[in-house]
Structures are given as C-alpha cells and as structure tokens.
Amino acid sequence: MLGMNEKVVILDFGGQYSQLVARRVREAQVYCEIISYKTPADEIMKHRPKAIILSGGPASVFAENAPVCDKKIFEMGIPILGIGYGMQIMCQLLGGKVEAARAKDYGETQLYVDETEDILKNLEQEITVWMDHRDVVLSLPEGFRTLAHTKNTIHAAISNGKNLFGVLFHPESARTLRGREIMNNFLFGIAGMTGSWSMKAYVDEQVRLIRERVGNRKAICALSGGVDSSVSALIVHKAIGDKLTCIFVDHGLLRKGEVESVEKTFREKFHINLVTVDAADRFLNKLKGVVDPEQKRKIIGEEFIRVFEGEAAKLGKVDFLVQGTVYPDVIESGTESTGLVKSHHNVGGLPEDVQFELIEPLRPLFKDEVRKIGAELGLPDEIIYRQPFPGPGLAVRVLGEVTKEKLDILREADAIVQEEIKKAGLYTRLWQSFAILPDIRSVGVVGDKRTYTHTIAIRAVESEDAMTADWARLPYDVLEKISYRITSEVAGVNRVVYDVTSKPPATIEWE
C-alpha cells in the first residue's frame, strides 16, 4: 500500500507525548505506529521500521519501575531519535550518566546550537524550544557528541555521528518554533523517508481491517452529525455497506435545528441507513435532580448505550458499535499515565456491561487529521469544519440541574452565538464558540421594572488539538451584537458575560 512500506515505530513511554510525536510524523506524510516501550526488539523488527522514535514521558529514569525499552534496539543499525525521557533512557542504557537536574529548564527555553548538522541541519544558532524535564544527562555514552545546549542543560541535543540521536526538548510541541524542521531532518535527512503516506492510505487500511473484522455481522454507529462520528460512519459504511445502521439519538440536549440537519445530510446525500430515536423525555427523567458534572456524563453515556441496545434488538443480532472517539477524548478520560480530566460519553462514560464490540476508526487521530479524512471522503465543508460538540450535549453547558426550561433558553442563546460568529467570519478560526447557562441569576432592569433572571456566559477558544486552548480575543462589536441579541430575543436572560480563561487552568467546557 502507498507509503506503508516506510514505517516509523514510536515507543510509547506514557503521557500524551507519543501521540503528539505521531501527529508530527503523519503531518510529514510518513506512516507510523505507536507500540509499548515493553516490546522486545525482535517483535519491533517484525514491524519492519525504517526508524524508531523513543517518546518523552512523565517518569524519571530513577523512579521505581521506571519504563525501560529493550537495549537491543540500539544494535539494529536503524536511525533512532530519543526525545526527552527517550534521550535519557538511551544514554543510561548505553553507558552515559543521568542525574536529577539542579537547575531545571521548563517551558520556552533558548537552545544554543553548537553544530548545525544532522537533526539540527540548516537551523539558526539560537532557537526557542519547549523544555519539560526533571533529569539531565551529565555525561554522554562513548562515541556521542553534543549538538546543542541551553543555559542550564549541557547536553540538550546529541548524536553518535551515525544513527542515534537525542534531544532533551520537545520538537513535537508547537512551542518549539523549528520543531517540524528538526523532525523532518530526522525523517528525511537521516532515515531517508519519501513522505508518500496519506490520509487516503489510512482510510484504505481501516476499511480493510474493519471489513475483515466484521465479516457478515452487523454494526450500528453512534451518529451525532459532528465530524468525528460522521467520518467514522463513512469509513465503516465504505467497509461493510448496508450491514451498518446509523442511530441518531435526539436526547433533547442538541442544538437548534440539529435533528433536521443530520437527517437531511445522511439520508439524502450519503444514503446511509439511519434511525432517529426521540429519547428526550427519557434522558431528562434520568437527569432530574442531578447536578454533579461527572454524574451527568456517566448517566448520559449509559443511556446512550441502553438506547443503542434497544434499537439494535429491533435489527436482529448486532455485534459492533461504531464510535467517533478521537485521541483527546481518550487522554482526558484518563490513561495509564494521565489522570482523569473528565469522562467522555464514548470513553469514560461507557458502562462495564456494554454488549457490543467497539469499532473506533479514529481513536489514534487528532481533530485536524479527522477533517483531512472527511475531505477525502467527500463530506461537505459544513460538517468537516463544524466545531466540536460534546457527546453529552447541552447537559454539560447547563450548570446545575438540567430542565427543559433551561435547555430552551440555552438553545436559543447558543443559536445566536453561532449565527453572529459565522456572520463575522470567525467560525473556522475558532476551535469552539458557544453559550453556557450558569446556575445563577442576577438583578436587571427591563422597561423600568426590576428583573431577577438568568445569566448567559459566552465561551470562545482557539486551539490546535484541544489539549491546550487560549481564550479568543473576539472583537468588541461582535460581543456587543451577541449580548444585545441574547438579552433582547431570549426570554429569561438579562445579563451576558464572556469567559477569558485559557486551558489550563480551565477546561474548554464548563462541566
């Protein structure tokens, strides 16, 4: 398959680093696979990699049970790049000395390039990089030399002059300004890649794997109309055709006009089997009196599955459930190396006794990669560039107890936000923009009369992958129009506020 014979293996040492590295490799149109650091060297060779990248990780090489890869990989003769923890463990295994850093580099740091060759070829003498480490390499293994240093780190980039390289900073981070060039120097200059892999190749591989796995059995897809579930549905439909039935659940927590839009797109344009389930009363009854955000997500996640089970029973025997899970969902729901941020309905919100095998064709991908696949599959722009919408819907944007009255208020306010953001030409620039209904009321004046009604909060952020986000500096005239329209057109609202908090410390959603 095109590009699949040029493979990079990324050894995963934990955290989010491996997926960020994979993203940069794929952006260079090079195929890569992430596997555990525990994988023996002979098993790694079965992948036939042209290069190996040792990811960063949250551990210290001195920690008890610190992750250690098979030392034999350094005898394979293929190019290896160690990043952060990956560089430290490489040096330790090859006879170098690693110690706890006395003066730590953290965040944006100036890197001073001593030799502009190998992975640092064609770079300036001084560049800004992103550092995040607790240990440093005190002495290099035999045959290695230093390529770059920082104020506090003697060996910030190293090479053995042949096939082994290490950087203590993170070239995969967007905050390392020449990170892509460094990665490309390794992939193309050192490993000799041609960059012939593509999103089309990824889709073809997923179609093949899904077709083999499903065979003559049936699958249902949790369709929301967003880009993640839409692309998942089209990939699986391409693999198994009419053996797939998409189920769209109207849980009463959707935005204005979404039901009609989803039905028109998937029935009329793509001719996919689609069942729409009106379950609004069912979900609202389950959410009655619930105020805790995590409990809301768990309840909604379980009800989703129960609805699918009920619909699947009408279709005969169904073995598979297709979901649009993407990697930020997985990280925020808690992994082996990361703590829980919040449960996603299609990850942490699944009940333990789910009756289906899961098909998640987008699980290792970031949102921008999903959008590229959407374009490959012919999805219209209004779906490809639709802003992310949480699986639990407006339930996590109504703070406190969820009621029909609150949902109606929020739905109208959110529609105004979407309309004005699009009119201003800002929609595709923003990662997300939406309204929230906090569980507060405030005093106002309307027609010389005192009011004591709801407040609407506006949230708009810019982000690359939802792992971090910066609050958007919306023009004042846009905010003014939104505020005026909401307080004028939405009954029960007398105040509008704007959220100016980035992620971290906040999350993008309020719940």
Side-chain angles (χ1 to χ4, degrees):
M1 189 177 294
L2 183 64
M4 301 288 278
N5 59 329
E6 293 190 337
K7 182 187 300 183
V8 174
V9 162
I10 299 170
L11 293 191
D12 181 12
F13 286 97
Q16 60 180 284
Y17 302 95
S18 297
Q19 293 289 337
L20 292 174
V21 171
R23 180 177 178 176
R24 297 303 177 223
V25 173
R26 294 191 204 115
E27 284 173 353
Q29 292 187 284
V30 174
Y31 180 68
C32 63
E33 291 181 358
I34 299 174
I35 62 177
S36 171
Y37 71 88
K38 300 177 182 178
T39 309
D42 56 351
E43 288 295 320
I44 293 174
M45 286 306 294
K46 291 179 181 179
H47 289 263
R48 300 174 64 189
K50 286 192 69 174
I52 296 174
I53 297 178
L54 311 181
S55 80
S60 166
V61 294
F62 303 115
E64 186 177 355
N65 298 320
V68 179
C69 59
D70 188 339
K71 184 179 178 180
K72 292 180 181 178
I73 65 171
F74 302 110
E75 302 169 6
M76 293 179 178
I78 63 176
I80 298 177
L81 171 64
I83 297 175
Y85 182 88
M87 169 179 156
Q88 294 164 11
I89 200 67
M90 176 169 65
C91 288
Q92 187 180 68
L93 289 174
L94 295 179
K97 184 176 181 181
V98 181
E99 69 172 9
R102 296 172 186 173
K104 299 179 181 180
D105 287 317
Y106 178 79
E108 293 184 354
T109 304
Q110 291 307 114
L111 181 78
Y112 303 101
V113 178
D114 301 311
E115 296 187 27
T116 55
E117 58 183 67
D118 294 335
I119 55 175
L120 302 183
K121 187 176 181 179
N122 298 325
L123 297 187
E124 299 86 353
Q125 294 292 325
E126 181 179 338
I127 59 175
T128 300
V129 298
W130 182 258
M131 284 277 197
D132 179 12
H133 62 88
R134 68 182 75 178
D135 302 325
V136 295
V137 176
L138 184 63
S139 61
L140 297 177
E142 184 178 352
F144 279 77
R145 69 182 191 280
T146 301
L147 300 180
H149 68 280
T150 71
K151 180 180 178 181
N152 298 320
T153 304
I154 300 173
H155 309 295
I158 62 174
S159 166
N160 72 344
K162 300 174 184 177
N163 66 313
L164 303 181
F165 306 86
V167 292
L168 202 54
F169 56 90
H170 291 278
E172 75 276 15
S173 170
R175 297 186 182 183
T176 293
L177 299 186
R178 300 296 297 276
R180 282 183 172 83
E181 288 90 334
I182 295 169
M183 293 292 290
N184 287 346
N185 279 341
F186 175 71
L187 294 171
F188 302 113
I190 304 298
M193 302 291 184
T194 61
S196 57
W197 185 69
S198 66
M199 286 296 101
K200 182 180 183 303
Y202 180 85
V203 171
D204 291 343
E205 179 69 1
Q206 285 298 310
V207 167
R208 181 185 68 80
L209 292 172
I210 293 167
R211 186 175 290 148
E212 289 178 358
R213 181 182 174 194
V214 174
N216 291 321
R217 294 182 286 175
K218 294 181 181 179
I220 54 176
C221 176
L223 184 66
S224 71
V227 66
D228 298 336
S229 65
S230 297
V231 171
S232 296
L234 290 184
I235 289 175
V236 177
H237 185 256
K238 187 173 182 180
I240 65 174
D242 288 342
K243 291 191 287 292
L244 170 70
T245 298
C246 290
I247 297 177
F248 176 58
V249 178
D250 178 9
H251 49 23
L253 309 170
L254 299 170
R255 290 176 290 192
K256 190 174 181 178
E258 272 190 296
V259 175
E260 296 80 7
S261 174
V262 168
E263 290 184 334
K264 181 177 180 180
T265 299
F266 289 91
R267 282 204 181 113
E268 296 181 15
K269 178 176 176 60
F270 295 107
H271 307 290
I272 290 177
N273 295 332
L274 176 64
V275 174
T276 301
V277 183
D278 182 357
D281 291 341
R282 176 173 174 171
F283 278 82
L284 282 175
N285 286 336
K286 286 284 185 178
L287 292 168
K288 189 173 182 179
V290 178
V291 297
D292 179 72
E294 270 301 291
Q295 192 178 357
K296 286 182 187 178
R297 288 178 176 270
K298 296 289 187 181
I299 288 171
I300 293 167
E302 177 153 354
E303 282 306 294
F304 258 100
I305 294 298
R306 300 310 172 216
V307 169
F308 289 136
E309 288 174 345
E311 292 304 315
K314 302 174 185 177
L315 299 171
K317 183 173 173 54
V318 175
D319 294 291
F320 298 94
L321 170 61
V322 180
Q323 292 194 138
T325 307
V326 292
Y327 190 65
D329 298 339
V330 178
I331 291 178
E332 291 191 331
S333 293
T335 66
E336 183 178 340
S337 305
T338 62
L340 172 69
V341 177
K342 60 189 176 184
S343 292
H344 287 261
H345 78 284
N346 51 0
V347 184
L350 286 174
E352 293 182 2
D353 60 341
V354 60
Q355 297 178 10
F356 306 109
E357 294 181 49
L358 296 181
I359 296 177
E360 298 173 306
L362 309 178
R363 190 179 179 89
L365 302 183
F366 288 88
K367 185 73 70 173
D368 60 328
E369 295 173 310
V370 176
R371 286 178 171 141
K372 289 177 183 177
I373 291 177
E376 287 278 351
L377 296 175
L379 275 176
D381 286 351
E382 57 265 29
I383 293 180
I384 293 174
Y385 298 107
R386 181 191 183 203
Q387 292 178 357
F389 186 62
L394 299 181
V396 292
R397 294 178 181 174
V398 171
L399 277 60
E401 183 181 7
V402 179
T403 66
K404 186 177 184 304
E405 176 198 5
K406 289 181 179 179
L407 288 169
D408 289 341
I409 291 172
L410 180 58
R411 196 172 282 118
E412 292 300 322
D414 187 74
I416 291 171
V417 173
Q418 301 301 314
E419 186 177 333
E420 291 300 329
I421 290 292
K422 288 176 180 177
K423 280 182 181 178
L426 300 171
Y427 187 80
T428 56
R429 194 195 88 189
L430 299 172
W431 180 264
Q432 280 176 271
S433 52
F434 53 90
I436 305 106
L437 184 65
D439 195 19
I440 58 174
R441 296 178 187 241
S442 63
V443 174
V445 178
V446 176
D448 295 328
K449 288 186 178 182
R450 176 185 182 277
T451 62
Y452 185 61
T453 53
H454 292 283
T455 296
I456 287 289
I458 306 301
R459 181 76 158 141
V461 298
E462 297 175 335
S463 179
E464 187 174 332
D465 52 29
M467 301 310 303
T468 60
D470 193 20
W471 66 275
R473 278 63 171 174
L474 294 183
Y476 289 156
D477 61 331
V478 175
L479 289 171
E480 181 182 24
K481 287 178 184 177
I482 291 172
S483 177
Y484 176 77
R485 285 195 59 194
I486 289 175
T487 54
S488 299
E489 300 174 25
V490 182
V493 177
N494 65 3
R495 190 180 299 271
V496 175
V497 298
Y498 187 53
D499 184 348
V500 293
T501 318
S502 295
K503 175 187 179 181
T507 54
I508 296 176
E509 298 290 343
W510 275 34
E511 287 193 345

